[in-house]
Amino acid sequence: TSGQISSPAATVDALIAEAKKYIGVPYVWGGSTPAGFDCSGYLNYVFNHVGLSIPRTVAAIWSEAKTVSSLKEGDIVFFNTGSSPSHAGIYLGNNQFIHAGTSTGVTISDMGSSYWKSRYMGAKTFF
């Protein structure tokens, strides 16, 4: 089966595995390397590492990604934390998402928490 394009599921698995490698990397405004990430720099870096080029800013990702009808692993979840949309992460399943948070650095958070639940805007995908 060599030479075949990998299935979307394999790409999602690769994306999530790549995303989890950076847990604990500090938040740096404008950061886009493992020395420090902001939320969109983190998404950009992780998606690029699995061969998907995405826009650099949360607003551009929001406008260019495809809207999803139901949340799946690998989707990008968006939040309004000041301006709309202003924060994003990768959905992991089970109401969890991984993101570069301003106070936490790269971490896994629960979308059901009061903070994130009240700011959730929706999900989009590049798959």
Side-chain angles (χ1 to χ4, degrees):
T1 58
S2 64
Q4 290 183 340
I5 294 168
S6 65
S7 70
T11 307
V12 169
D13 289 345
L15 178 76
I16 289 172
E18 186 67 25
K20 287 181 175 177
K21 289 181 189 173
Y22 307 103
I23 288 173
V25 168
Y27 182 90
V28 174
W29 190 86
S32 58
T33 73
F37 290 116
D38 68 12
C39 72
S40 56
Y42 172 66
L43 294 177
N44 226 269
Y45 187 87
V46 171
F47 273 84
N48 275 327
H49 267 250
V50 297
L52 291 169
S53 179
I54 67 170
R56 176 62 180 90
T57 67
V58 172
I61 295 167
W62 172 261
S63 65
E64 291 189 29
K66 297 179 298 220
T67 302
V68 298
S69 52
S70 61
L71 201 48
K72 295 183 302 301
E73 291 179 9
D75 289 348
I76 301 173
V77 288
F78 293 87
F79 302 89
N80 180 349
T81 58
S83 59
S84 179
S86 54
H87 190 72
I90 299 167
Y91 187 65
L92 299 175
N94 297 323
N95 233 22
Q96 308 283 300
F97 72 105
I98 189 167
H99 62 119
T102 49
S103 59
T104 56
V106 177
T107 191
I108 294 173
S109 296
D110 189 335
M111 291 177 60
S113 76
S114 57
Y115 182 85
W116 294 114
K117 191 174 188 175
S118 65
R119 291 164 174 82
Y120 180 64
M121 293 180 60
K124 299 203 176 190
T125 189
F126 283 97
F127 290 105

